[in-house]
Amino acid sequence: MLGGIGLYIAYARITLPQALPPIQTTYLYDRNGHLLTTLHGSVDRTIVSRDQISPHMIDAVIATEDHDFFNHPGVDVAGIMRAAFTDLVKRETVQGASTITEQLVKNVYAGSYTTDAEGVQSYTLPPRSIEEKIREGLLAIKLEQTLSKDEILTTYLNTVYFGHGAYGVQAAARTYFGKPASELTVLESASLAGVLHAPDLYDPIDRPSDNWYRRNYALDQMIQYGYLTKAHGAHLKAKKCCGTIPDQTERLIAPGQSEYFAEYVRQTLFDRYSEADVYAGGMRVTTTLDLGLQADAEAAIQQGLPDQHSDPAAALVAIDPRTGQILAMAGGRNWDKSQFNYATGRGGSGRQSGSAFKAFTLAAAMQAGFDPNAYWNGPSTIGIPACPDPNQPDGIWHPVNAGDGEAGTFTLFGATAHSVNTIFAQVIAQLGPGPVVNMAHALGIQSDLPKTCSITLGSVGVNPLEMTNAYATLADQGVRHWATPLLQVKTSNGQIDESVGSPGARVLDENDANLVTDALEGVVRDGTGTAAALGTWPVAGKTGTANDNVDAWFCGYTVQIATCVWMGWPDNDTTPLENIEGVPSVYGGTIPAAIWHTFMINAMDGIAPQPFPVPTFDSAHSIGPSISVAAPAPSPTYVPPTESPTPSPTGAPEPTKSPSPTETPSPTESPSPTETPTPSPS
């Protein structure tokens, strides 16, 4: 009795706001507070009357969302009981609204309207609880007593989110079909009705196959509740699509070519929050980007590859190793012509990293207790029975070095500096591919990696963002911070999301990480990466060149900044990088290292040089070579290079072209009694 009186009093006191919730723009800033860009709905919400909405749309929404809409009093009593059970028994988040009236209450009437000091109004929902569910039920009943069913339905269709930044049926019709809501066909209406269950998942533009599934579900519902005949519904379901869907998403505009980064931020926000929050929640997002460093990154690529029409593509990513914050991301040369981001490889399979991947094999070897000063024999070619290769006549993997200048005896550090394939092939054969794959993933590589021996030579596609992330982990002495573009996310009411940021996790022993850094310093000091040296700033890094010179990399770091540079032909991983800006054959130690150097000189300006920690060469690292090898396979003629190209994904080496008559290989330096180094690039 008392409970009923309480509900009556609560019902009597409830008032319904007159205004619709505001659609608020989300603002993105760089780390220094400079406006980067804005995110908002693709089409402004336009309020339309009932007679301006196609009757097919009305039927599809009723059948899909609330088939008993015209008969119930506004609430789903069974749904409220389920919510109570969920909250009280399972202690889980209370389920969402059930009827169209309840959904409208949640979207428009249940929240609070506030206005900040700048006069910006925001709509904020209270926390989900059983008490709130009951309050919304009372609001729904009052709404049914205040408005007609047609008014409730029309208001719902004018405010509900349809995905892709479209609020309301008019905006959705124009966003997806380029027409007003009054002209929507049955099939188009079913497609839009199918979106409502989960707009982020069933967006017809970004997820057409998922929308097709939900569209057919909506058609089934229309058949079940008498809005379509079975024959007509079956005819419509047989159609593969419902017409051309024009993508009217807003065009990003950001300084320089930072649209690639801005789009990456947008996708990151979608992954963390709902599209509705991003497009209309009025967020204030401070990103990790430094627009000054972004300009330096774009200028470095422009200097190294000045001809945008005939030069290959390039990407550069810079990360603060101590936080994982992305400081710069150059993902392409012209956003208006191509939105593919080479820095993230989103939607692609990545590019072969070549010998830049050897750093991960070395890290796995240090973790396993290998002796960095033990000597290994590195002939020009070698057969390793422990690594089968069904594509070879003898069934054995035969990795090769790129030239006889690399053959000789090397320590692991020397083999790293001079990128000796046949030694790293022996190391992974002795370790097993599993530990190397696990180490790469632990350091920051998120792409799928097959557990094959050839992976040590970078035969699998990866992207510059994850490569930079992995090298940043080495720079931070084995502590991995996942790369992030978000510095702070603030909601429209000023609440800060405390979950933004990566706390860091140790994935490699500190001394083992420092041993890898010590080896990578040798690459820049007197190995294949001398072009990346920064003078007074200590640098550790590794060159990488894919098989047939189709991709070239330089990844390196100082204590404060980790950066990777990739270059290759756009959408083409089979054409060699030859005769580019006066360089006959591009290796990682040529143009990529030069771009890296140009960027890092500017990035490090004003930052005091800081030495890397000195590692301990202790008895814990005592494992030397023990793998058995087979007789060398016949060797073709090779060009003496600055580093070794990567074999094909099958592990089978491909011969390198002989030098052209006009190209003279660099002379080999006088070897020490114990090792024969490869010359640095001239």
Side-chain angles (χ1 to χ4, degrees):
M1 182 68 177
L2 292 177
I5 294 173
L7 287 175
Y8 177 79
I9 294 173
Y11 173 82
R13 290 178 176 176
I14 285 175
T15 59
L16 300 174
Q18 299 300 313
L20 297 179
I23 294 179
Q24 302 172 77
T25 296
T26 288
Y27 292 85
L28 306 186
Y29 303 91
D30 89 333
R31 65 187 305 111
N32 298 310
H34 301 121
L35 182 63
L36 188 61
T37 192
T38 59
L39 303 177
H40 52 79
S42 57
V43 180
D44 291 338
R45 178 169 61 195
T46 302
I47 306 301
V48 293
S49 61
R50 168 69 183 266
D51 60 6
Q52 292 176 298
I53 302 173
S54 166
H56 303 308
M57 187 68 201
I58 300 290
D59 294 344
V61 170
I62 295 294
T64 306
E65 292 295 300
D66 187 0
H67 66 87
D68 201 34
F69 172 72
F70 287 105
N71 300 315
H72 63 61
V75 295
D76 177 6
V77 177
I80 293 178
M81 296 302 295
R82 286 195 303 270
F85 176 79
T86 300
D87 184 54
L88 297 175
V89 179
K90 293 188 175 183
R91 293 299 177 186
E92 297 174 356
T93 302
V94 171
Q95 298 172 357
S98 301
T99 70
I100 284 177
T101 308
E102 287 178 295
Q103 291 182 52
L104 177 60
V105 163
K106 180 181 174 183
N107 293 340
V108 176
Y109 298 106
S112 59
Y113 290 77
T114 58
T115 304
D116 62 18
E118 299 176 354
V120 177
Q121 191 181 44
S122 62
Y123 176 77
T124 306
L125 273 173
R128 308 306 293 158
S129 66
I130 185 59
E131 292 81 3
E132 176 58 23
K133 184 75 174 177
I134 292 173
R135 189 180 78 89
E136 290 178 10
L138 293 175
L139 276 168
I141 293 172
K142 173 157 274 192
L143 191 63
E144 291 270 354
Q145 300 301 314
T146 306
L147 302 178
S148 69
K149 287 286 188 178
D150 279 349
E151 288 173 325
I152 290 172
L153 183 59
T154 303
T155 304
Y156 171 78
L157 287 172
N158 276 314
T159 56
V160 71
Y161 182 60
F162 284 91
H164 221 78
Y167 281 84
V169 64
Q170 183 78 346
R174 294 201 178 280
T175 296
Y176 294 124
F177 304 110
K179 60 172 59 174
S182 60
E183 297 179 9
L184 290 170
T185 66
V186 175
L187 208 54
E188 291 165 348
S189 297
S191 293
L192 293 184
V195 165
L196 295 175
H197 178 68
D200 295 359
L201 299 179
Y202 301 118
D203 180 330
I205 291 176
D206 291 337
R207 299 176 180 270
S209 59
D210 294 327
N211 179 263
W212 176 86
Y213 167 81
R214 286 294 298 179
R215 180 207 72 181
N216 284 355
Y217 167 78
L219 291 172
D220 284 336
Q221 293 295 101
M222 294 177 75
I223 294 169
Q224 179 177 347
Y225 295 109
Y227 296 103
L228 286 179
T229 65
K230 198 168 186 178
H232 189 195
H235 172 72
L236 293 175
K237 286 174 64 178
K239 292 181 178 294
K240 292 185 178 180
C241 63
C242 49
T244 302
I245 299 177
D247 186 348
Q248 296 188 9
T249 304
E250 58 163 334
R251 188 177 75 84
L252 283 174
I253 300 175
Q257 291 299 322
S258 57
E259 289 96 343
Y260 296 96
F261 176 79
E263 174 60 21
Y264 175 63
V265 174
R266 174 160 60 180
Q267 295 299 329
T268 301
L269 291 172
F270 287 169
D271 291 341
R272 291 181 63 91
Y273 312 99
S274 71
E275 277 191 15
D277 289 334
V278 174
Y279 278 132
M283 292 178 171
R284 298 296 188 270
V285 180
T286 301
T287 72
T288 60
L289 191 75
D290 184 312
L291 278 174
L293 294 181
Q294 178 68 21
D296 289 338
E298 294 168 11
I301 292 175
Q302 179 63 28
Q303 180 176 324
L305 298 168
D307 193 334
Q308 295 190 27
H309 300 289
S310 61
D311 280 343
L316 183 154
V317 176
I319 288 176
D320 184 338
R322 299 157 295 187
T323 61
Q325 295 171 9
I326 300 170
L327 303 174
M329 177 186 284
R333 303 286 284 270
N334 192 323
W335 174 260
D336 291 334
K337 292 184 177 180
S338 172
Q339 288 80 50
F340 185 84
N341 189 342
Y342 290 103
T344 65
R346 189 176 181 96
S349 59
R351 305 294 280 254
Q352 293 184 23
S353 60
S355 292
F357 204 91
K358 288 175 181 172
F360 312 144
T361 302
L362 185 61
M366 294 301 98
Q367 183 181 65
F370 277 54
D371 181 357
N373 292 315
Y375 284 93
W376 298 66
N377 181 30
S380 60
T381 184
I382 196 171
I384 303 179
C387 296
D389 185 350
N391 296 300
Q392 293 297 302
D394 58 3
I396 295 174
W397 184 37
H398 289 278
V400 299
N401 294 329
D404 292 336
E406 287 182 338
T409 303
F410 296 82
T411 65
L412 278 185
F413 277 19
T416 302
H418 301 293
S419 212
V420 185
N421 282 353
T422 55
I423 288 180
F424 271 85
Q426 294 173 66
V427 172
I428 196 171
Q430 191 165 320
L431 267 173
V436 175
V437 168
N438 293 339
M439 177 58 67
H441 282 151
L443 293 174
I445 300 298
Q446 294 182 284
S447 294
D448 291 336
L449 301 173
K451 294 181 178 180
T452 59
C453 287
S454 64
I455 198 171
T456 190
L457 307 182
S459 60
V460 179
V462 290
N463 64 65
L465 176 59
E466 61 186 345
M467 286 292 287
T468 312
N469 203 164
Y471 272 73
T473 302
L474 296 173
D476 200 32
Q477 303 182 72
V479 176
R480 184 200 63 223
H481 298 268
W482 288 116
T484 177
L486 304 178
L487 192 60
Q488 183 187 84
V489 176
K490 187 183 297 185
T491 62
S492 59
N493 61 0
Q495 186 175 359
I496 295 174
D497 184 351
E498 300 293 345
S499 69
V500 169
S502 172
R506 178 160 296 284
V507 296
L508 180 62
D509 175 79
E510 182 176 325
N511 191 61
D512 289 340
N514 292 338
L515 285 169
V516 175
T517 294
D518 199 41
L520 298 182
E521 282 190 273
V523 174
V524 179
R525 183 175 55 249
D526 53 18
T528 60
T530 55
L534 297 178
T536 59
W537 290 282
V539 173
K542 186 71 188 75
T543 53
T545 308
N547 191 55
D548 286 339
N549 294 73
V550 296
D551 296 288
W553 299 70
F554 185 84
C555 291
Y557 50 89
T558 61
V559 171
Q560 300 92 343
I561 301 176
T563 300
C564 276
V565 174
W566 163 86
M567 65 176 288
W569 293 107
D571 305 320
N572 187 337
D573 57 3
T574 60
T575 302
L577 295 166
E578 295 177 341
N579 300 314
I580 309 298
E581 296 298 333
V583 179
S585 189
V586 176
Y587 293 91
T590 59
I591 297 177
I595 292 173
W596 188 95
H597 174 272
T598 300
F599 169 75
M600 287 293 286
I601 278 288
N602 291 320
M604 295 301 296
D605 186 32
I607 300 177
Q610 185 175 339
F612 293 110
V614 178
T616 300
F617 294 81
D618 52 26
S619 58
H621 297 84
S622 58
I623 299 175
S626 63
I627 189 73
S628 61
V629 298
S635 301
T637 303
Y638 298 100
V639 178
T642 60
E643 62 182 313
S644 306
T646 304
S648 62
T650 63
E654 297 183 15
T656 306
K657 296 179 180 179
S658 302
S660 64
T662 59
E663 181 182 352
T664 303
S666 304
T668 303
E669 297 174 356
S670 299
S672 65
T674 57
E675 68 181 47
T676 308
T678 301
S680 301
S682 56

